[in-house]
């Protein structure tokens, strides 16, 4: 069975956000479609996220909800991949659970796909970064570097927040990478992509899961996978 729109939502310790997130999705989808599903991927949370998700599943029969539970924390990349395997939508959006990315943009991206048959994917980029100056500068420098040394084009402010046609997601699923670096995969696969700005909000509850060390590790994954820079270092 196919449906119009799937939302894939990686969740790691998001007990304070998932219920509000669901409400915001319902509101945003009003007037667009009721033919949508939400796939929450609980990435080994140690708080009450899995219980909250079970409650949402049991209490909201008006929305198609799927919950995938990981046996431990595998990271957002793995959570997105698992979500894609379960998504049956004609369009598939990746969106965070912490309400930094307003679900209204998922609808905006859906409408762009509706109106532009030649467009395969709509990516949302942060119109203005609202993180610390140092982290923001480091991220920009990283993207410049990786863009310079890679054959793949990296857009510095592109996030994972995007909506793809189902065939794009099938292509992503056909890549058997083990250490996944989605920002690379999304550009490497090609396809006709439109970018729209979005206004990033403050995290609703809880803290970012990306400490400096985790970000650095992720950056190395990208450099190793998408450039031959390490081979050139004497
Ligand atoms: N996330 C996840 N697994 C992780 C880390 C994060 O599923 O190991 C989820 C998290 O719950 C959120 C999204 O990925 O929905 C983005 O994470 P976060 O908000 O911490 O990142 P930031 O917005 O600070 O870049
Ligand atoms: Mg966040």
């Amino acid at each position: 069975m196919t449906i119009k729109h799937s939302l894939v939502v990686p969740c790691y310790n998001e007990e304070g956000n998932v219920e509000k997130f669901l409400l915001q999705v319902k509101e945003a989808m009003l007037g667009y479609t009721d033919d949508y599903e939400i796939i929450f991927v609980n990435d080994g949370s140690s708080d009450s996220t899995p219980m909250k998700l079970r409650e949402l599943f049991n209490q909201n029969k008006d929305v198609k909800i799927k919950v995938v539970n990981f046996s431990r924390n595998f990271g957002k990349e793995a959570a997105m991949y698992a979500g894609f395997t379960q998504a049956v939508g004609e369009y598939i959006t990746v969106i965070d659970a912490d309400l930094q990315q307003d679900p209204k943009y998922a609808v905006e991206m859906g409408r762009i796909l509706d109106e532009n048959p030649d467009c395969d994917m709509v990516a949302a980029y942060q119109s203005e970064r609202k993180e610390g100056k140092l982290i923001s500068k480091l991220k920009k420098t990283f993207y410049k570097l990786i863009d310079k040394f890679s054959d793949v084009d990296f857009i510095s402010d592109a996030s994972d927040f995007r909506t793809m046609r189902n065939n794009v997601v099938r292509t992503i699923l056909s890549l058997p990478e083990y250490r996944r670096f989605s920002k690379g995969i999304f550009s490497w696969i090609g396809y006709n992509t439109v970018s729209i700005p979005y206004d990033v909000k403050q995290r609703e509850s809880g803290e970012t899961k990306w400490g400096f060390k985790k970000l650095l590790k992720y950056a190395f994954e990208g450099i190793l996978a998408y450039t031959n820079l390490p081979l050139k270092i004497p």
Side-chain angles (χ1 to χ4, degrees), residues 14 33 63 75 88 97 110 210 215:
E14 301 287 4
T33 182
V63 189
V88 294
W210 295 91
L215 273 176

Side-chain angles (χ1 to χ4, degrees), residues 14 96-101 200-201 203 207-210:
E14 301 287 4
D96 290 350
D98 57 8
L99 299 170
Q100 287 201 264
Q101 304 170 336
V200 64
K201 291 199 202 144
R203 175 174 256 283
E207 284 174 5
T208 174
K209 314 300 180 309
W210 295 91

Side-chain angles (χ1 to χ4, degrees), residues 10-12 14 43 73-80 96 98 100-101 126 131-132 135 139 143 160 180-183 203 206-221:
C11 305
Y12 180 47
E14 301 287 4
D43 183 13
N73 178 237
F74 282 89
K76 184 180 176 184
E77 291 285 331
M80 284 194 282
D96 290 350
D98 57 8
Q100 287 201 264
Q101 304 170 336
Q126 298 183 12
E131 319 164 293
I135 282 284
K139 282 189 180 172
Y143 281 112
D160 300 328
R180 301 182 74 81
F181 184 74
S182 278
K183 292 193 172 72
R203 175 174 256 283
E207 284 174 5
T208 174
K209 314 300 180 309
W210 295 91
F212 186 69
K213 235 172 101 182
K214 221 170 160 183
L215 273 176
L216 206 63
K217 200 172 150 231
Y218 189 63
F220 274 120
E221 301 276 354

